[in-house]
Amino acid sequence: MNVLHISDLNFGPRHWEGNDKVLIKKINSFNTDIVINTGDSTTDGLKDEYIKAGRFLKQIKCKKIISIIGNHDKRNMRSHELFRKYIYNSEIIYIPEMGKTEKQHLFLDRKITNVRENFTDINFIKSISIKGQVVLIISIDSNELYRDEGYVEIEVLKAVSKKIKQMEYDLPLLLIHHSLLGTDECPLKNSSSIIDFVHEHNIENVFCGHTHELEIMQTTDLYKGNSFTQFMCGSLSSINHINDDNMFLYYENLGRENMHLFLIRIFLKEGMVTFKEQKIF
């Protein structure tokens, strides 16, 4: 199975000045079974940004494109509706409405908010058959409305776990915007709960974005013996700070011992877009 990983497109004020058509052509040159987009397709979660990001993603030729929501996408009270309309619409895993939750703004107050759907989280599970293998894509929404820090509601994790236990699959993959292992200025505040979730379901591969930086980490619980690898992809097309290149990742034969990981760095100089490919392992 070949997977192409993009993240942090940031359409809007933080979107780069490069040629998006050149990016699309490069992405489409890879033999890809699944394209995963780990969040922040927009800058401020505005409708026009969602529309532009959706148009970009629709130009990718791969038939299986899975996108998740990021913290920049959740800066709008209608972000969850706009995301499902323009970026990716999957069957959401809901929990009963509660008066108080640990996650801020998980439920919008219907008394003062005129929205069709007041549950703001986008968690889903997608089962995909590829080359005789059932791949389970698990998306956990780590984003709080209006905030850059991450948090996952425990009741949501319980609901997703219940759903997973009802399904049959060969390879589970977790998509989440915030890092479980790395530390940054806007971290995932209850990462230990998600790490427990990963171990519980024997998830060996976690994919994320958020920091605009490349980071590949592996962790092992020496007591329980569980291990997983986290692949953090840098930004595909945002205006980055100095010394932070745009990029995407390509995983060839994911899930097998002969997997190869390729880093494709993207450079913009004087209006020209160039690429540099590097085989990491």
Side-chain angles (χ1 to χ4, degrees):
M1 180 177 66
N2 300 330
V3 176
L4 192 143
H5 183 187
I6 60 177
S7 195
D8 297 83
L9 283 62
N10 285 120
F11 276 87
R14 293 194 66 181
H15 193 64
W16 75 333
E17 297 180 351
N19 190 333
D20 287 336
K21 292 182 179 179
V22 177
L23 276 187
I24 288 293
K25 184 177 180 181
K26 185 66 175 180
I27 289 171
N28 286 337
S29 69
F30 286 82
N31 178 24
T32 307
D33 297 302
I34 305 177
V35 172
I36 56 174
N37 169 25
T38 50
D40 277 359
S41 296
T42 68
T43 297
D44 292 306
L46 301 177
K47 182 177 179 179
D48 66 312
E49 297 173 356
Y50 270 112
I51 291 173
K52 291 176 182 177
R55 286 174 180 167
F56 178 88
L57 292 168
K58 284 182 174 63
Q59 295 178 69
I60 298 176
K61 291 182 179 179
C62 181
K63 294 182 179 180
K64 297 179 177 65
I65 304 174
I66 311 292
S67 294
I68 67 171
I69 198 165
N71 60 294
H72 278 269
D73 302 320
K74 253 189 174 178
R75 293 184 173 179
N76 183 323
M77 193 176 289
R78 293 182 56 225
S79 290
H80 55 298
E81 294 182 346
L82 294 170
F83 179 87
R84 296 182 68 185
K85 182 175 181 180
Y86 295 108
I87 304 297
Y88 188 73
N89 188 17
S90 187
E91 184 177 347
I92 303 299
I93 298 174
Y94 293 94
I95 62 172
E97 186 167 354
M98 299 178 288
K100 184 179 180 180
T101 61
E102 294 298 325
K103 189 169 189 174
Q104 299 295 311
H105 307 292
L106 185 60
F107 295 95
L108 298 176
D109 188 349
R110 289 191 181 276
K111 296 178 182 178
I112 59 173
T113 311
N114 184 22
V115 292
R116 183 178 57 191
E117 177 56 67
N118 76 323
F119 183 64
T120 61
D121 248 18
I122 298 181
N123 304 279
F124 60 87
I125 298 175
K126 182 77 172 178
S127 180
I128 301 175
S129 180
I130 298 177
K131 299 174 182 176
Q133 190 176 40
V134 178
V135 181
L136 200 65
I137 306 291
I138 304 162
S139 170
I140 298 294
D141 189 343
S142 61
N143 312 282
E144 289 187 295
L145 195 62
Y146 312 129
R147 297 191 178 194
D148 291 329
E149 297 84 2
Y151 189 86
V152 175
E153 178 64 39
I154 301 303
E155 294 303 316
V156 167
L157 276 183
K158 292 178 181 178
V160 176
S161 288
K162 183 179 179 180
K163 184 83 170 176
I164 292 173
K165 291 173 182 177
Q166 297 170 351
M167 305 181 74
E168 294 184 359
Y169 53 90
D170 299 306
L171 179 66
L173 306 177
L174 175 63
L175 310 187
I176 188 167
H177 185 59
H178 292 80
S179 167
L180 308 190
L181 302 176
T183 57
D184 61 82
E185 296 177 355
C186 305
L188 179 59
K189 290 180 284 187
N190 63 333
S191 58
S192 61
S193 297
I194 298 77
I195 290 174
D196 290 342
F197 170 88
V198 168
H199 289 325
E200 178 185 357
H201 297 288
N202 296 314
I203 299 170
E204 296 182 355
N205 297 290
V206 176
F207 304 88
C208 62
H210 183 55
T211 67
H212 294 201
E213 296 178 359
L214 174 68
E215 189 175 85
I216 302 169
M217 301 179 69
Q218 189 173 68
T219 180
T220 301
D221 186 324
L222 297 177
Y223 177 67
K224 297 180 180 179
N226 297 320
S227 177
F228 71 89
T229 304
Q230 176 180 276
F231 302 94
M232 179 192 288
C233 186
S235 170
L236 177 73
S237 55
S238 69
I239 301 174
N240 281 332
H241 48 73
I242 298 175
N243 298 325
D244 187 9
D245 305 324
N246 293 100
M247 67 183 68
F248 62 89
L249 295 172
Y250 180 68
Y251 312 83
E252 187 177 70
N253 299 323
L254 179 68
R256 298 187 180 276
E257 292 184 0
N258 64 334
M259 186 189 93
H260 300 295
L261 174 58
F262 297 89
L263 165 65
I264 296 86
R265 291 191 181 274
I266 306 162
F267 302 97
L268 177 62
K269 186 176 182 180
E270 298 179 355
M272 296 294 294
V273 179
T274 58
F275 302 93
K276 181 181 179 181
E277 296 185 23
Q278 176 186 354
K279 186 175 181 180
I280 298 179
F281 63 79

